[in-house]
Amino acid sequence: SAAVARNRVEAMLQNTRIRLDVARLLLPLYEAENDVGRILRVLEVEIAEAPGIDDRLELLGRCATLAERDLGQPGKAYDYAARAAEESVGEPSFGQCVVRAEALAEAASRIVDWALLLERIAGNVVDDDERAELFARLGRLYRDKLDHKGDALAWFEKAREVRGEEPETLTAL
């Protein structure tokens, strides 16, 4: 029967040698059925097998959109967007990924998780302007969303050390 055949094809997702081909075979079927859970599952396979960072970021963005819009799960959407932000360090799309992930973190009430992720990736940002902006963003998060004034001041001070006498940083200090 068709259900048995489909189950056998889906089971082939476990075979690492052919799982990308199987995922690409199943994706249109799942899209036609609007089965978002299964779409996300095969997109995860595509993410794992994507040849480049741009492809991975596009797929992570698509997953975030599906989770937020179609599943109504901002927490799951945040998880995808946070992965994209982490993986996009050093890429031209880093700023966009950060803005999207932060918005989803707020929608999912995951600001603490977001702040911890930003702290973890801050050391990987090599561009001085991006690093200073990330430090200032952390300062704003700690000041405005988490009400941790001491931590906020520490991050604004780090931003000032990188950026110099910048108005927002000086005002925050």
Side-chain angles (χ1 to χ4, degrees):
S1 84
V4 171
R6 180 177 175 158
N7 287 338
R8 288 184 180 158
V9 171
E10 288 173 338
M12 287 190 267
L13 284 170
Q14 304 306 313
N15 184 329
T16 56
R17 286 190 357 253
I18 61 170
R19 71 186 201 154
L20 181 59
D21 293 329
V22 173
R24 288 181 176 158
L25 175 74
L26 290 170
L27 183 59
L29 174 66
Y30 294 159
E31 289 173 332
E33 295 172 349
N34 198 29
D35 190 335
V36 178
R38 286 185 167 149
I39 292 170
L40 290 173
R41 195 172 91 203
V42 297
L43 288 177
E44 281 286 352
V45 171
E46 289 196 33
I47 291 166
E49 302 290 330
I53 186 67
D54 291 337
D55 296 320
R56 289 179 55 77
L57 295 176
E58 180 183 331
L59 289 164
L60 286 165
R62 182 173 176 198
C63 289
T65 298
L66 287 168
E68 179 184 28
R69 183 192 64 210
D70 296 347
L71 293 180
Q73 295 181 4
K76 189 175 192 102
Y78 164 75
D79 290 336
Y80 287 115
R83 282 172 59 191
E86 188 169 16
E87 291 189 27
S88 69
V89 172
E91 298 295 322
S93 59
F94 177 65
Q96 291 174 293
C97 290
V98 166
V99 168
R100 183 166 193 205
E102 188 165 313
L104 287 168
E106 192 158 346
S109 300
R110 304 263 306 267
I111 294 295
V112 171
D113 293 339
W114 176 236
L116 293 173
L117 174 69
L118 289 179
E119 286 181 22
R120 192 171 69 242
I121 66 174
N124 298 334
V125 177
V126 294
D127 180 82
D128 284 345
D129 289 336
E130 283 184 350
R131 192 169 62 251
E133 173 52 36
L134 191 64
F135 291 162
R137 181 178 294 277
L138 277 160
R140 289 188 300 272
L141 281 173
Y142 277 106
R143 180 190 65 203
D144 301 338
K145 305 291 182 189
L146 300 173
D147 199 28
H148 293 178
K149 304 300 185 217
D151 290 330
L153 285 173
W155 285 109
F156 282 123
E157 178 61 31
K158 285 184 179 199
R160 189 192 61 73
E161 289 170 6
V162 174
R163 192 182 280 167
E165 307 299 319
E166 201 268 353
E168 179 196 17
T169 305
L170 291 175
T171 302
L173 290 173

